Amino acid sequence: MSSTEKTNKLGVAATNGQIIRLAAPISLALLIPQMSFFTNTVFLGRLGMRELGVNGITGVFYLILSMIGYGLSSGMQIQMARRAGENDQKGLAQILTNGAMLSVLFSLGLMLLTLWFVPILFGYSLSDSNNFELSVNFVYIRVWGLPFLMLSQLLCSFFIAIGRSRVLIYGSLVATLVNILFDYTLIFGKFGFPAMGFSGAAVASVIAEIFYCGTMVGIFMAQRLYKQYPVFNFRNFDIELSQRTLSVASPLIVQFLFSIGGWMVFFVFIEHLGAESLAASQVLRNIFGLVGVGTWALATTCNTMVSNLIGQGRRRDVTGIIWKICKLSFIYAVVVCVALLIFSREFLSIYSNDLSLIAFALPSLRVIVLATLIMSLSTVVFNGVVGTGNTLVNLTIEITCVGSYLVYCYFIISRWHSDLYLCWGSEFIYWTALLIASSLYLRSGRWKGKEI
């Protein structure tokens, strides 16, 4: 078989058309669960300002756990995309099978650590005892979905690596519909179920993650991908492969811990400002997630395409593909941000019918909209660095940027108790630093020749 034929199977081209074809399904797959978060926030906003605010804290904490899984699966995605570029189907299957075992072990360890650590963390960081009780009870339920989430993340990384990102939509759609149904049923006590309030949202999320995992496994089996990628040939846990995987993934895991951990510190500081600031910030976090969907999809596409191109031996095309994706991401961000600026009040009113809360959140929303424009570039460039496989560099960049972010948060929020819109100005600090550091590394050319 010629190298051209191999490229036609699993290799990617550096064209705008293929970028959009790969990113569009990822974008939709990310948008669907964001709609679930959106609905969850709307439901909890109807329960009260306290539940809405505490959902911000617990949501960010669970996001830290999920991003540890995402870091692990991203490390394996880099490896799988590289094997796809080399047309090594057996090697790709081995990474997937061993990765599933590694993901289960990781998730069980995280569950045990969380059950022990959460009361200590929230006991020291939260100033309100009612917020503490709600947060701990929520996380104690929510954490049981972690093994299913991490397996789903791995399968999503597999489908992205082989260029079948479209199937991500089906898993996300099933999970979102299930989550919305059980949110409504369990939060408010519908269809004969007890009204569980805030805890009902946690149970609904666990059920949704089980359905998500089942759907992704079902797609893999239904499409008979186990024949093309012989996963059942690798039944034993490969310690050496796991070590190689962790050498790529562990800097990403620590990187995401710093990244989302910084956001956790942000919300803890905001909790000290009062219930209104915390509730408004939870709404703003949800909006930030919605407007960033297209950008994050393009960033994931950039990660995969960079690794694939390097696997094909096309290192000279890497900076070109990153620049193309940056332009598409910025255009998307401009369109979304203009719409959000025009309809700011209308959008905020979806989350809460409290007019004072809407007016309070409005200046911060405008800050977030502007920060999104910088994010549209920096997250793509940063994922281009991730795709080169030099994850220690990613970690160094992340620590530097989060450090700057936390210094800003400490003085602006904790020490000076500034207005909320100035608190959210921390996003400018983080995304600008990320863009500068990532661009400098790519221009240096030190990523060339990195083997994974």
Side-chain angles (χ1 to χ4, degrees):
M1 183 179 292
S2 69
S3 60
T4 302
E5 290 172 326
K6 289 181 181 179
T7 300
N8 289 340
K9 278 192 171 184
L10 294 175
V12 299
T15 64
N16 286 331
Q18 188 165 21
I19 292 169
I20 294 172
R21 282 195 298 274
L22 185 58
I26 299 173
S27 181
L28 187 55
L30 290 172
L31 176 62
I32 293 169
Q34 285 294 334
M35 296 307 296
S36 178
F37 301 150
F38 164 78
T39 306
N40 183 276
T41 303
V42 171
F43 286 162
L44 292 175
R46 299 301 184 265
L47 283 180
M49 191 176 292
R50 181 183 299 279
E51 288 82 0
L52 180 61
V54 172
N55 186 45
I57 296 172
T58 56
V60 173
F61 179 81
Y62 191 77
L63 184 60
I64 292 174
L65 300 181
S66 68
M67 292 307 282
I68 291 173
Y70 182 70
L72 183 62
S73 65
S74 292
M76 289 182 277
Q77 180 181 318
I78 293 169
Q79 289 182 306
M80 289 188 288
R82 190 67 58 88
R83 299 294 90 77
E86 297 164 354
N87 203 43
D88 182 4
Q89 296 175 350
K90 288 184 178 180
L92 198 157
Q94 185 179 16
I95 293 170
L96 175 61
T97 306
N98 204 69
M101 301 178 194
L102 191 59
S103 295
V104 171
L105 291 173
F106 239 77
S107 63
L108 294 177
L110 276 177
M111 286 177 64
L112 292 174
L113 181 62
T114 300
L115 293 172
W116 166 74
F117 182 63
V118 156
I120 300 173
L121 173 65
F122 288 154
Y124 278 108
S125 60
L126 300 183
S127 60
D128 189 305
S129 59
N130 291 323
N131 289 349
F132 168 81
E133 184 178 354
L134 281 174
S135 299
V136 171
N137 290 340
F138 183 93
V139 174
Y140 270 13
I141 297 170
R142 188 77 172 86
V143 75
W144 291 96
L146 198 57
F148 302 98
L149 173 65
M150 291 183 69
L151 286 173
S152 300
Q153 289 172 327
L154 174 62
L155 284 165
C156 289
S157 293
F158 164 76
F159 283 116
I160 293 171
I162 66 171
R164 298 195 187 189
S165 57
R166 184 178 302 176
V167 303
L168 273 61
I169 297 170
Y170 306 121
S172 294
L173 184 60
V174 169
T176 298
L177 292 176
V178 169
N179 200 12
I180 292 173
L181 172 63
F182 281 97
D183 262 344
Y184 179 71
T185 300
L186 298 177
I187 291 175
F188 301 112
K190 303 295 182 179
F191 310 119
F193 286 88
M196 299 177 66
F198 190 52
S199 295
V203 176
S205 296
V206 173
I207 295 171
E209 283 168 347
I210 294 171
F211 272 85
Y212 192 3
C213 184
T215 302
M216 299 309 292
V217 172
I219 292 171
F220 182 87
M221 300 301 292
Q223 294 188 353
R224 299 182 179 275
L225 291 172
Y226 54 85
K227 291 188 175 181
Q228 185 176 357
Y229 305 95
V231 292
F232 298 119
N233 291 354
F234 307 99
R235 300 176 184 272
N236 297 322
F237 186 67
D238 190 325
I239 295 177
E240 184 181 347
L241 177 57
S242 297
Q243 290 174 338
R244 292 203 307 271
T245 298
L246 289 173
S247 70
V248 177
S250 55
L252 292 174
I253 293 170
V254 178
Q255 167 202 317
F256 288 131
L257 276 174
F258 271 92
S259 177
I260 307 302
W263 220 1
M264 183 73 190
V265 173
F266 172 86
F267 269 88
V268 168
F269 284 163
I270 292 293
E271 192 259 354
H272 297 165
L273 297 182
E276 188 175 39
S277 292
L278 187 59
S281 293
Q282 162 58 5
V283 172
L284 294 166
R285 181 180 77 90
N286 194 273
I287 293 173
F288 200 67
L290 282 173
V291 300
V293 162
T295 286
W296 293 326
L298 286 164
T300 301
T301 301
C302 183
N303 178 340
T304 299
M305 283 192 157
V306 166
S307 187
N308 192 293
L309 287 172
I310 294 173
Q312 295 180 51
R314 298 170 57 191
R315 287 175 172 81
R316 66 186 183 280
D317 295 328
V318 165
T319 53
I321 197 71
I322 293 172
W323 174 237
K324 282 184 180 180
I325 296 174
C326 276
K327 288 191 288 186
L328 292 172
S329 180
F330 188 75
I331 292 169
Y332 159 83
V334 168
V335 172
V336 172
C337 288
V338 167
L340 200 53
L341 284 173
I342 294 173
F343 302 105
S344 298
R345 290 184 179 274
E346 291 81 359
F347 201 85
L348 287 169
S349 65
I350 297 173
Y351 292 91
S352 176
N353 51 14
D354 187 331
L355 296 179
S356 64
L357 183 64
I358 293 171
F360 182 70
L362 196 58
S364 301
L365 175 62
R366 290 166 181 156
V367 171
I368 286 175
V369 166
L370 295 176
T372 301
L373 296 175
I374 303 174
M375 183 190 74
S376 69
L377 299 175
S378 57
T379 191
V380 171
V381 176
F382 183 67
N383 271 269
V385 177
V386 174
T388 66
N390 202 342
T391 49
L392 281 173
V393 171
N394 290 97
L395 176 58
T396 303
I397 292 173
E398 191 67 54
I399 290 174
T400 303
C401 297
V402 172
S404 303
Y405 172 88
L406 290 177
V407 169
Y408 180 95
C409 288
Y410 174 73
F411 284 102
I412 298 297
I413 307 175
S414 183
R415 290 289 298 274
W416 299 338
H417 302 285
S418 303
D419 292 336
L420 189 63
Y421 73 91
L422 290 175
C423 300
W424 276 93
S426 57
E427 296 299 319
F428 279 105
I429 301 298
Y430 174 76
W431 293 114
T432 301
L434 193 69
L435 178 60
I436 293 171
S438 301
S439 299
L440 288 174
Y441 175 72
L442 286 172
R443 289 193 64 177
S444 73
R446 286 179 290 177
W447 51 272
K448 296 177 180 179
K450 173 67 178 176
E451 296 296 331
I452 57 170

